Amino acid sequence: MWLGPEEVLLAGALWVTERANPFFLLQRRRGHGKGGGLTGLLVGTLDVVLDSSARVAPYRILHQTQDSQVYWAVACGSSRKEITKHWEWLENNLLQTLSIFDNEEDITTFVKGKIHGIIAEENKNEQPQSEEDPGKFKEAELKMRKQFGMPEVEKLVNYYSCSYWKGRVPRQGWLYLTVNHLCFYSFLLGKEVTLVIQWVDVTQLEKNATLLFPECIKVNTRDNELYFSMFLNINETFKLMEQLANIAMRQLLDNESFLQDKSLPKPRKPLKNISALKRDLDARAKNECYRATFRLPKDECLDGHTDCTLWTPFNKMHIPGQMFVSNNYICFASKAEEACHLIIPLREVTIVEKADSSSVLPSPLSISTKSKMTFFFANLKDRDFLVQRISDFLQRTPSKKPCSSDREWKWNLADPGCEEVPELPSSSPLAVSPTSALSNRPVSFCAGEVPTASQGLLKLFRRNSEELLGPKGAKEKMKEESWNIHFFEYGRGMCMYRTAKTRELVQKGIPENLRGELWLLFSGAWNEMVTHPSYYADLVEKSMGKYNLATEEIERDLHRSMPEHPAFQNELGIAALRRVLTAYAFRNPTIGYCQAMNIVTSVLLLYCNEEEAFWLLVALCERMLPDYYNTRVVGALVDQGIFEELTREYLPQLSEKMQDLGVISTISLSWFLTLFLSVMPFESAVVIVDCFFYEGIKFILQVSLAILDANMEKLLQCCDEGEAMTILGRYLDNVVNRQSVSPPIPHLHALLTSGDDPPLEIDIFELIKTSYEKFSSLKADDIEQMRFKQRLKVIQSLEDTAKKSVVRAVSSDIGFSIEELEELYVVFKAKYLMSCYWGNNRAAAARRDQSLPYLEQYRIDMEQFKELFIGLTPWSCGAHTPVLAGRLFRLLDENRDSLINFKEFVTGMSGMYHGDLTEKLKVLYKLHLPPALNPEEAESALEATSYFTEDVTTEVSPFVSELDFCLHCESQETQEDKGRRNENGPEKEEKGTSPQDYRYYLRMWAKEKESKKETIKDLPKMSQTDAASCGCRRAH
């Protein structure tokens, strides 16, 4: 263990040095291990005779410097393994660092400080978690607030001992990670270092190792590159930093994240030295991983997991893995990847019972379901507790009768001998009568079939095809038979065993009769649909007859959605598409409607009924392709960045060429957003969709790499982007599905195939097979890690674009330079974000509307404006500064909503910094009139009147209008002017110092205000002066 550095005068007495370097010695006590002679025997005897408290550990590590005779004990160990671990840590983390120092005293001071930091962190982590005293963690939180000036609402998540590299010199100190900030403090050798970085300013976060920094964390902002190293547990620290930075990016991307993440769950019991936020963030990370692995609804929370084995009847084996239990599901994942995955919804469970233990099968547990399937788990560590938890959850699970009906319906639907569409049971949520609320018009029937709301459009619009009777029809029947055999062996429905065999069948193409069912199962949409039986119908009813921007865009795109397919050349298909898209727009106003959603949804409607298509769309937009379909298509841009990174890794020759041509950014959006449906023939693209619902985005990336790989030689010879796009477009147009039983649908991109040479056809199944052979090493976990890294880049890039857009929009009317405006924008945005972090209420978050122009998205209230005004204004008025700030705020707030945007803010600042004397007086004049005055300050108008019009003796009402006041001034001025002109001549009038000039301006401004209501935009362009540089210094 590590020791508080203790001075040792005789390093060689009773000890043998086993390892040494210029700064440390590893020693073994004589009498332990081999050899030692008589001295070793005496020492060993002495150690045995002494009581346990006086015994000396047999191994230790000493710190030394070359010219010093004093040694310092920094670690000891009871075994060679323990002391070797400490020795290796010192060599890997400190050795290169210490060689930088010139002064030996500095080396010793640094080592002692580092060891003390490690001991403090170990003590923090090893405290018993059952005690209620918050202990040192609360002490650290108070210290953090005092050191960095943070308010109480800023919560500390965790803190770590580490070194910050300032140049080539490490500064040993403490890293504090709070919900909104990364902070570091060090005081060493009389030098103090303080860092405060907002997570929203972090542009890159990496853990890497270099020659100078053995193992470090690099934190990049727009202005700085910071390195932190010498962590006791660098992986834990980096993971937490990733989580906090990710939350900050979500805050910038989606306004609701402020509300969601501002108050994290309270701990059930205070834990000593463990942050409740740290524990909850760890739980959140586990929940996200659990939901992604098993495609569960977004509100599902993991209760716990345990090691166990699962009996798999298809291969008569006990497979080791982990059981996961949550509120509504029991899941299993094998340790061997793809050996077996299992999802058991608690709504399907009928019996949970403990079986008799045996030496062969210890602690077995049996779970039976409504579909007559029984699952046997064994080797459970705490079976009784587990059964109790499952029983508790089962009691809370509502019984849903429609489940059995739906299950029965699905079995019948996929019956290989069933040629006709089955009749739906009336209890099913999928059965919809012709008078249902799902349609705002009479439901059309087609040839006596069931209405659109009850089944997929492909069944209604399937034309009599000879393919059904030929070789392709026989191939389709064989596929269906293969799946039926699979269902018999592995089970059917949500409780099916999912193995490598399942994936093989998906790669060969799902039969058309089973496509809708299996899409629902593999995506997890089935779970949400059966637990919300009337949700879609209610949503359609609520959205009927309502119009907004989303519905207008939907109407515009309805007839562009697969217009070549007969199902969407008919009002029946168009009406179904309209209802699904409109219902989703009302469910999720944040997304509303985005182009490409119509193409994907139209394909879903071909194989599913409306309700099923709706829930598949929910699964796509909210879980499988997160942030793809928002206004800025952030998710697609993130995965585009991943695609570029993977191209560099797997196709390095092509990567540089593609980068030069700028092709990847063009192709990836159309490929990813529509899942290849817009760039491939329909019969081929739908096979891509099959694999996507089973594998997720991993499959789309791997197919994209396979397409680039197949065209590498041609792409390397391209001269421009257009040529590369033509090559890829021609290739994709000729990806064919020779097994499809549907009549071919004309492809809109067929124009690209024109040429002298006949096109070479590529079989879709060969392309999929190649993608697995060459790029199957892609892992879902790695992709999620890469998504975090790319999300930082993409969102910060979008924020930079927003800043440039705002600055460009206001620069023409403002006296500040572009650089000054950018700095002011950063300050303005930071003040807005502070209100979101620390505001007493959550109204600040509601001010940002992503649908508004960039200029209107960040707005501040009067209190925030006062804080900025006091820090930036060149007009220092002492105690009256807040009053002046309040008046200026009311003057700038043209729409009277008690909020001002950035343009209004810099307009006020520009007047103070860059206006000439006349303009500044004009602003001051307006600050003494409504609307700058509040009702209580109306008396100020009277004082201003008295000051500027010396001879006015009549009492003016506090509510006198500007017109009355100005006319009175003008009449007085007219009489005085006549006398002065006769007396002094015209020369006197031109002097800018006489009171007459000020009265002239008052009269002129009053006339301006009466003739036209002036706004801030109407102010003349103010010339820049030398005060700009002064203002910039104040902004800093």
Side-chain angles (χ1 to χ4, degrees):
M1 66 178 183
W2 299 104
L3 300 174
E6 299 173 357
E7 191 173 328
V8 177
L9 294 176
L10 298 173
L14 308 180
W15 293 85
V16 179
T17 300
E18 294 196 336
R19 292 191 190 182
N21 61 47
F23 303 106
F24 298 101
L25 300 175
L26 190 157
Q27 295 186 328
R28 172 178 54 82
R29 191 163 174 82
R30 295 182 186 274
H32 292 271
K34 297 179 180 179
L38 181 60
T39 308
L41 183 62
L42 292 173
V43 173
T45 305
L46 180 65
D47 288 345
V48 171
V49 170
L50 292 173
D51 66 328
S52 59
S53 61
R55 287 179 190 168
V56 178
Y59 298 94
R60 71 179 182 183
I61 296 175
L62 302 180
H63 164 62
Q64 64 163 4
T65 53
Q66 291 180 353
D67 298 331
S68 174
Q69 299 300 315
V70 179
Y71 294 82
W72 298 87
V74 296
C76 67
S78 57
S79 67
R80 184 178 295 277
K81 183 179 178 181
E82 180 185 2
I83 203 69
T84 303
K85 181 181 175 183
H86 291 336
W87 178 263
E88 289 176 351
W89 190 92
L90 291 170
E91 282 197 325
N92 293 333
N93 290 278
L94 286 187
L95 210 55
Q96 286 182 327
T97 304
L98 296 179
S99 61
I100 296 171
F101 289 94
D102 297 326
N103 190 326
E104 291 190 355
E105 290 184 9
D106 293 350
I107 293 174
T108 301
T109 305
F110 180 82
V111 170
K112 289 164 70 176
K114 184 64 197 173
I115 299 301
H116 279 304
I118 291 172
I119 292 169
E121 188 169 345
E122 280 190 338
N123 290 341
K124 175 192 72 171
N125 292 331
E126 291 176 2
Q127 290 292 340
Q129 298 186 9
S130 58
E131 299 180 26
E132 296 191 7
D133 177 20
K136 291 185 179 179
F137 186 87
K138 188 166 187 179
E139 187 180 315
E141 188 168 39
L142 293 172
K143 185 177 179 182
M144 177 272 298
R145 287 189 188 133
K146 182 179 178 183
Q147 192 66 54
F148 303 103
M150 299 286 180
E152 284 193 22
V153 292
E154 181 69 359
K155 301 295 184 184
L156 178 65
V157 180
N158 214 352
Y159 62 103
Y160 301 94
S161 170
C162 71
S163 292
Y164 160 63
W165 290 78
K166 195 169 184 181
R168 293 175 59 87
V169 180
R171 301 288 180 182
Q172 175 61 31
W174 288 93
L175 182 71
Y176 298 89
L177 305 181
T178 73
V179 173
N180 301 301
H181 296 85
L182 177 153
C183 308
F184 177 83
Y185 179 77
S186 170
F187 185 81
L188 191 65
L189 307 175
K191 295 183 179 179
E192 187 178 47
V193 177
T194 304
L195 291 175
V196 179
I197 300 166
Q198 293 186 69
W199 289 116
V200 292
D201 291 334
V202 173
T203 58
Q204 190 176 7
L205 197 61
E206 284 185 350
K207 182 182 69 173
N208 53 23
T210 64
L211 187 62
L212 181 59
F213 310 120
E215 196 173 27
C216 65
I217 295 175
K218 183 173 78 168
V219 181
N220 282 8
T221 65
R222 288 177 178 82
D223 305 318
N224 297 304
E225 196 172 82
L226 311 173
Y227 289 89
F228 300 91
S229 66
M230 291 181 250
F231 292 93
L232 188 61
N233 190 339
I234 192 169
N235 292 326
E236 178 194 323
T237 310
F238 183 70
K239 185 179 177 182
L240 181 57
M241 291 169 80
E242 275 190 328
Q243 283 182 282
L244 293 169
N246 202 34
I247 289 174
M249 292 306 104
R250 298 299 314 176
Q251 290 172 350
L252 287 176
L253 176 63
D254 186 354
N255 222 28
E256 291 183 5
S257 294
F258 281 120
L259 307 181
Q260 179 183 345
D261 296 324
K262 184 161 180 161
S263 54
L264 294 171
K266 305 283 184 190
R268 296 174 188 171
K269 182 191 289 187
L271 304 176
K272 186 166 185 177
N273 296 327
I274 293 179
S275 161
L277 295 184
K278 171 72 168 66
R279 188 205 61 190
D280 290 329
L281 285 171
D282 289 344
R284 177 178 298 179
K286 289 179 181 177
N287 285 335
E288 288 174 357
C289 181
Y290 170 61
R291 290 192 292 261
T293 302
F294 299 104
R295 306 273 171 82
L296 299 178
K298 291 179 74 175
D299 57 352
E300 195 64 22
C301 293
L302 179 65
D303 187 70
H305 58 91
T306 182
D307 291 335
C308 67
T309 58
L310 171 66
W311 170 254
T312 49
F314 52 86
N315 60 1
K316 307 290 191 295
M317 289 178 62
H318 290 281
I319 298 180
Q322 282 194 319
M323 175 194 283
F324 301 84
V325 179
S326 59
N327 307 36
N328 301 293
Y329 299 89
I330 299 169
C331 301
F332 174 85
S334 58
K335 289 185 178 177
E337 191 178 2
E338 293 187 359
C340 183
H341 270 213
L342 180 65
I343 303 168
I344 309 173
L346 291 182
R347 63 177 182 271
E348 293 288 325
V349 173
T350 54
I351 301 171
V352 178
E353 59 182 351
K354 294 181 282 188
D356 295 332
S357 292
S358 67
S359 58
V360 179
L361 208 62
S363 304
L365 180 67
S366 166
I367 298 176
S368 302
T369 66
K370 295 175 184 176
S371 55
K372 308 292 189 260
M373 293 182 73
T374 302
F375 304 95
F376 291 100
F377 298 91
N379 294 287
L380 294 160
K381 291 181 181 177
D382 197 346
R383 184 177 60 168
D384 294 339
F385 175 75
L386 180 65
V387 170
Q388 184 59 49
R389 292 300 294 163
I390 295 174
S391 301
D392 292 343
F393 289 133
L394 280 171
Q395 289 176 3
R396 301 176 206 163
T397 304
S399 175
K400 294 196 184 301
K401 291 182 181 179
C403 288
S404 59
S405 302
D406 296 343
R407 177 78 59 196
E408 192 175 287
W409 171 71
K410 281 291 178 185
W411 274 76
N412 291 335
L413 177 63
D415 186 351
C418 181
E419 292 291 337
E420 297 180 359
V421 178
E423 184 178 349
L424 295 176
S426 59
S427 61
S428 171
L430 307 176
V432 183
S433 67
T435 57
S436 166
L438 290 177
S439 178
N440 55 359
R441 65 193 73 217
V443 176
S444 305
F445 289 82
C446 182
E449 293 282 347
V450 185
T452 305
S454 301
Q455 64 179 29
L457 293 173
L458 202 62
K459 294 185 182 297
L460 294 173
F461 292 92
R462 175 178 284 165
R463 294 171 289 188
N464 293 327
S465 173
E466 296 180 2
E467 305 290 353
L468 292 172
L469 304 175
K472 291 185 179 180
K475 183 76 173 176
E476 185 78 358
K477 289 290 183 187
M478 287 174 61
K479 281 187 185 179
E480 288 186 13
E481 190 59 34
S482 297
W483 275 98
N484 284 321
I485 293 170
H486 184 79
F487 291 148
F488 180 79
E489 292 182 4
Y490 295 85
R492 188 168 191 170
M494 191 54 67
C495 299
M496 175 173 60
Y497 294 98
R498 303 174 195 212
T499 66
K501 177 68 174 174
T502 315
R503 192 185 73 176
E504 288 174 18
L505 284 175
V506 172
Q507 289 174 30
K508 293 175 182 176
I510 298 175
E512 288 192 351
N513 283 338
L514 297 177
R515 192 160 267 147
E517 174 187 355
L518 293 175
W519 283 1
L520 286 165
L521 293 179
F522 295 148
S523 67
W526 177 261
N527 287 319
E528 292 185 281
M529 187 175 74
V530 297
T531 52
H532 300 83
S534 60
Y535 181 87
Y536 174 69
D538 293 342
L539 205 55
V540 171
E541 189 172 5
K542 288 176 187 174
S543 62
M544 277 196 329
K546 294 182 180 176
Y547 300 96
N548 54 30
L549 182 61
T551 58
E552 288 178 15
E553 292 176 343
I554 289 169
E555 287 297 326
R556 187 185 63 214
D557 287 348
L558 283 176
H559 293 279
R560 303 176 189 171
S561 309
M562 294 190 69
E564 64 276 14
H565 197 286
F568 298 99
Q569 296 167 0
N570 185 291
E571 182 57 26
L572 199 62
I574 295 294
L577 182 60
R578 177 189 292 114
R579 285 192 291 271
V580 173
L581 290 173
T582 305
Y584 187 78
F586 275 83
R587 167 189 165 86
N588 192 343
T590 305
I591 292 177
Y593 170 76
C594 173
Q595 281 188 337
M597 286 172 70
N598 60 320
I599 296 171
V600 175
T601 307
S602 60
V603 174
L604 300 179
L605 280 167
L606 290 177
Y607 298 99
C608 308
N609 65 43
E610 282 185 33
E611 186 177 21
E612 292 170 335
F614 170 80
W615 286 111
L616 278 169
L617 186 61
V618 169
L620 272 174
C621 296
E622 298 175 14
R623 289 190 286 106
M624 298 188 74
L625 298 176
D627 306 318
Y628 259 59
Y629 300 105
N630 57 25
T631 52
R632 298 189 281 181
V633 292
V634 171
L637 292 172
V638 167
D639 286 346
Q640 174 186 301
I642 294 174
F643 184 43
E644 290 181 9
E645 197 172 331
L646 292 173
T647 306
R648 282 193 295 273
E649 181 180 345
Y650 288 97
L651 307 170
Q653 285 180 297
L654 187 59
S655 173
E656 191 174 342
K657 180 73 173 179
M658 297 292 281
Q659 205 71 36
D660 294 340
L661 295 175
V663 173
I664 288 184
S665 59
T666 307
I667 61 174
S668 55
L669 282 181
S670 59
W671 293 4
F672 298 166
L673 277 170
T674 64
L675 304 176
F676 288 94
L677 288 165
S678 65
V679 293
M680 257 189 205
F682 168 74
E683 301 82 11
S684 303
V686 79
V687 182
I688 298 281
V689 177
D690 290 343
C691 297
F692 165 74
F693 277 123
Y694 188 79
E695 295 272 20
I697 192 62
K698 165 184 175 291
F699 177 76
I700 299 296
L701 291 167
Q702 112 186 358
V703 166
S704 301
L705 288 170
I707 292 169
L708 292 187
D709 183 55
N711 292 276
M712 185 183 294
E713 290 184 10
K714 293 180 180 178
L715 290 171
L716 286 173
Q717 295 172 5
C718 287
C719 301
D720 55 39
E721 181 185 356
E723 188 180 352
M725 292 296 294
T726 302
I727 289 169
L728 291 171
R730 188 171 295 167
Y731 178 88
L732 290 170
D733 274 327
N734 290 287
V735 176
V736 297
N737 180 0
R738 298 187 180 95
Q739 299 176 14
S740 175
V741 294
S742 298
I745 298 170
H747 188 44
L748 293 178
H749 289 241
L751 294 173
L752 291 172
T753 62
S754 60
D756 298 332
D757 300 328
L760 180 66
E761 290 187 342
I762 303 97
D763 186 76
I764 181 63
F765 299 104
E766 284 298 318
L767 176 62
I768 290 172
K769 182 181 176 183
T770 304
S771 75
Y772 276 101
E773 288 173 352
K774 293 189 175 182
F775 307 107
S776 61
S777 58
L778 283 177
K779 305 296 179 192
D781 292 343
D782 295 337
I783 290 173
E784 283 306 312
Q785 184 69 28
M786 293 164 77
R787 269 181 167 172
F788 161 75
K789 179 181 173 182
Q790 293 296 332
R791 193 178 292 121
L792 280 180
K793 273 187 192 174
V794 168
I795 294 180
Q796 295 293 14
S797 174
L798 290 171
E799 289 295 309
D800 289 342
T801 303
K803 178 173 72 173
K804 290 175 183 176
S805 175
V806 169
V807 167
R808 192 166 53 248
V810 303
S811 59
S812 59
D813 303 327
I814 304 298
F816 289 113
S817 67
I818 296 293
E819 292 75 16
E820 290 169 338
L821 283 172
E822 287 183 350
E823 291 178 3
L824 284 171
Y825 180 83
V826 170
V827 174
F828 184 86
K829 177 182 166 184
K831 183 56 66 176
Y832 165 83
L833 292 173
M834 288 297 176
S835 70
C836 297
Y837 301 156
W838 301 334
N840 294 328
N841 54 52
R842 296 181 178 180
R847 299 173 200 160
R848 190 181 183 200
D849 184 351
Q850 296 275 359
S851 63
L852 292 174
Y854 288 133
L855 183 61
E856 295 290 335
Q857 287 189 14
Y858 295 116
R859 296 184 293 168
I860 60 174
D861 59 22
M862 183 180 288
E863 291 305 312
Q864 294 167 296
F865 178 78
K866 284 182 178 178
E867 292 174 16
L868 287 176
F869 183 85
I870 292 169
L872 297 173
T873 180
W875 295 354
S876 182
C877 306
H880 296 286
T881 303
V883 177
L884 186 65
R887 291 187 182 184
L888 183 58
F889 179 86
R890 285 188 288 271
L891 183 66
L892 296 172
D893 182 19
E894 294 181 14
N895 59 1
R896 305 289 177 266
D897 63 350
S898 300
L899 295 170
I900 62 171
N901 62 29
F902 179 68
K903 184 172 184 178
E904 293 165 336
F905 168 72
V906 293
T907 299
M909 290 289 110
S910 182
M912 290 185 287
Y913 274 103
H914 297 289
D916 57 21
L917 182 61
T918 303
E919 295 296 334
K920 291 176 181 177
L921 283 171
K922 189 173 183 178
V923 173
L924 280 173
Y925 169 70
K926 290 179 179 180
L927 291 178
H928 289 80
L929 293 173
L933 301 180
N934 59 31
E936 290 78 14
E937 293 175 329
E939 194 66 29
S940 299
L942 178 61
E943 294 174 9
T945 304
S946 303
Y947 176 78
F948 284 114
T949 57
E950 302 164 3
D951 300 334
V952 176
T953 55
T954 56
E955 184 177 354
V956 181
S957 165
F959 303 102
V960 67
S961 72
E962 287 185 48
L963 181 60
D964 295 336
F965 163 68
C966 294
L967 288 174
H968 187 80
C969 291
E970 190 172 2
S971 64
Q972 294 289 333
E973 301 274 335
T974 305
Q975 294 174 5
E976 292 177 10
D977 286 348
K978 289 178 182 177
R980 284 199 177 96
R981 284 197 192 96
N982 296 331
E983 203 172 300
N984 301 321
E987 293 81 14
K988 297 284 183 180
E989 292 181 6
E990 295 177 6
K991 286 191 178 181
T993 56
S994 67
Q996 176 190 358
D997 289 330
Y998 295 105
R999 283 191 283 273
Y1000 165 76
Y1001 285 125
L1002 286 174
R1003 190 164 62 252
M1004 179 182 68
W1005 296 336
K1007 285 179 181 177
E1008 286 177 7
K1009 291 185 71 64
E1010 286 304 320
S1011 60
K1012 176 187 174 184
K1013 287 191 175 179
E1014 186 181 46
T1015 66
I1016 296 300
K1017 292 180 182 177
D1018 297 320
L1019 290 173
K1021 185 174 181 180
M1022 302 176 186
S1023 61
Q1024 288 183 299
T1025 66
D1026 293 336
S1029 58
C1030 171
C1032 204
R1033 286 196 298 272
R1034 283 181 175 271
H1036 282 297

